[in-house]
């Protein structure tokens, strides 16, 4: 990390998230013009993030919006290697500061776990603990301040987005187990502590998996949406389609993808999948 002001960058990005003009409660409501670029989980994948920045070229395309989520907890080359995905998080925060009306975040399960100090194990390692230790090792006596600023950024994340052409965007969706107690009014307010804990609706949103057709249809009615675009569930070949209504993207490996969406036109499953682009095709 070359910038000497990570705390200031993270805090400023958090402020900008909270003051995002698209935000209604914890839901981003996108306009009926321009383009939306949706990613899958990035998990510290710097090369794909850099390709995303080149593709978006936000300086020259003001009506383009981009959504980022699950930036932290990278795949590590060894059990003892440091997790440097905090660097990607800070780079994303800098991007938000440079283009505050175009760069947006979504809360994910890994970032929620980091915020609430909940353990996630991956390849036999507690990744939330490894992340904290790596930040402290990198920043020394300033490490606790950087971690506090990271928590502030994560706490500022919206939960979901809605487009005028009836696409609902979130890190994930509640599964069959979580749906009966899921409270959709969550999107019209700032999440409370009980929403973020296990059993809460924000927790159910970001942790839900394996959505059945009946769950997807119930969510379509509940959330007044035709299609869903999410991440969270690993996709070896970049993406999958569930029940012709839910697209799951992955951006954290060499077969990773992202999706572009024209906000001004009606959408179909075919038009959505035709606009899924591999990072490998970006120079």
């Amino acid at each position: 990390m070359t910038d000497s002001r990570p705390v200031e960058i993270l805090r400023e990005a958090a402020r900008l998230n909270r003051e995002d003009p698209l935000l209604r409660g914890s839901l981003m409501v996108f306009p009926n013009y321009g383009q939306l670029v949706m990613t899958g989980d990035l998990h510290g994948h710097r090369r794909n993030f850099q390709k995303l920045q080149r593709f978006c070229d936000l300086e020259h395309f003001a009506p383009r919006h981009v959504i980022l989520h699950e930036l932290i907890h990278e795949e590590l080359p060894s059990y003892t290697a440091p997790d440097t995905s905090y660097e990607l998080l800070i780079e994303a925060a800098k991007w938000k500061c440079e283009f505050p009306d175009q760069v947006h975040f979504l809360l994910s399960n890994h970032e929620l776990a980091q915020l609430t100090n909940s353990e996630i194990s991956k390849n036999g390692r507690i990744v939330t603990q490894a992340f904290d230790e790596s930040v402290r090792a990198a920043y020394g006596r300033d490490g606790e301040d950087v971690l506090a600023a990271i928590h502030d950024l994560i706490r500022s994340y919206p939960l979901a987005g809605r487009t005028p052409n009836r696409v609902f965007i979130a890190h994930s969706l509640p599964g069959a187990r979580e749906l009966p107690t899921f409270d959709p009014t969550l999107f019209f307010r700032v999440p409370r502590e009980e929403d973020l804990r296990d059993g809460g609706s924000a927790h159910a949103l970001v942790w839900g998996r394996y959505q059945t057709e009946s769950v997807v249809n119930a969510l379509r009615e509940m959330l007044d949406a035709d299609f869903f675009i999410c991440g969270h569930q690993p996709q070896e070949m970049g993406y999958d389609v569930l029940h012709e209504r839910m697209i799951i993207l992955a951006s954290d490996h060499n077969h990773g993808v992202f999706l572009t969406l024209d906000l001004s036109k009606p959408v179909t499953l075919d038009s959505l999948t035709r606009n899924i682009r591999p990072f490998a095709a970006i120079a």
Side-chain angles (χ1 to χ4, degrees):
M1 178 66 198
T2 58
D3 201 297
S4 61
R5 303 175 296 109
V7 172
E8 291 84 352
I9 291 166
L10 292 161
R11 296 283 188 187
E12 177 64 7
R15 183 188 69 80
L16 292 168
N17 283 340
R18 295 186 175 103
E19 296 177 4
D20 193 318
L22 301 182
L23 194 61
R24 308 288 184 271
S26 59
L27 181 71
M28 290 177 291
V29 180
F30 289 94
N32 60 357
Y33 61 90
Q35 185 188 69
L36 179 65
V37 179
M38 175 63 175
T39 63
D41 302 4
L42 273 158
H43 285 304
H45 202 295
R46 293 158 183 77
R47 185 170 65 252
N48 284 354
F49 178 74
Q50 290 161 1
K51 288 186 173 188
L52 180 71
Q53 288 183 303
R54 290 199 295 273
F55 171 84
C56 288
D57 192 13
L58 296 181
E59 182 178 1
H60 297 106
F61 292 92
R64 178 175 282 158
H65 300 269
V66 58
I67 292 181
L68 305 169
H69 57 123
E70 198 98 295
L71 291 161
I72 62 174
H73 300 160
E74 65 188 325
E75 285 289 337
L76 300 175
S78 71
Y79 186 81
T80 57
D83 179 356
T84 59
S85 60
Y86 61 85
E87 294 178 351
L88 181 59
L89 190 67
I90 295 168
E91 288 302 313
K94 288 171 65 176
W95 204 22
K96 174 69 177 181
C97 293
E98 292 167 7
F99 302 100
D101 295 332
Q102 296 169 267
V103 176
H104 314 280
F105 298 87
L106 291 173
L107 185 66
S108 71
N109 62 309
H110 276 251
E111 280 140 344
L112 177 58
Q114 201 65 51
L115 175 66
T116 58
N117 195 30
S118 303
E119 291 186 359
I120 295 182
S121 294
K122 199 172 181 180
N123 298 325
R125 188 177 188 180
I126 300 173
V127 294
T128 43
Q129 179 180 324
F131 183 88
D132 284 345
E133 291 172 351
S134 298
V135 171
R136 293 187 183 106
Y139 290 101
R141 62 183 182 182
D142 296 325
E144 294 303 325
D145 291 338
V146 174
L147 285 171
I150 288 172
H151 286 190
D152 186 39
L153 178 65
I154 294 171
R155 192 174 289 277
S156 74
Y157 286 172
L159 296 179
R162 179 190 297 283
T163 73
N165 39 16
R166 298 178 58 79
V167 179
F168 194 88
I169 295 163
H171 176 65
S172 192
L173 297 170
R177 182 172 64 90
E178 299 91 3
L179 187 61
T181 58
F182 182 73
D183 177 12
T185 66
L186 169 77
F187 299 115
F188 305 116
R189 55 180 169 79
V190 176
R192 299 186 284 261
E193 291 301 318
E194 57 266 30
D195 297 317
L196 301 173
R197 292 196 293 265
D198 192 1
S201 288
H203 190 279
L205 177 75
V206 301
W207 275 99
R209 292 180 187 269
Y210 313 122
Q211 291 79 12
T212 64
E213 185 173 8
S214 62
V215 165
V216 170
N217 287 333
L219 287 167
R220 286 180 61 203
E221 182 174 352
M222 179 187 292
L223 301 174
D224 192 28
D226 291 331
F227 296 99
F228 302 95
I229 306 175
C230 302
H232 184 47
Q233 301 180 59
Q235 305 299 325
E236 289 186 8
M237 299 312 297
Y239 79 97
D240 193 13
V241 177
L242 293 185
H243 318 302
E244 300 187 343
R245 294 290 175 177
M246 181 178 179
I247 297 174
I248 303 172
L249 306 174
S251 302
D252 57 345
H253 51 69
N254 291 338
H255 295 291
V257 301
F258 61 96
L259 183 150
T260 63
L261 171 64
D262 188 331
L263 295 168
S264 67
K265 296 180 180 178
V267 298
T268 63
L269 179 62
D270 181 62
S271 70
L272 289 170
T273 55
R274 275 192 284 109
N275 285 305
I276 295 174
R277 301 172 179 240
F279 283 101
I282 308 300

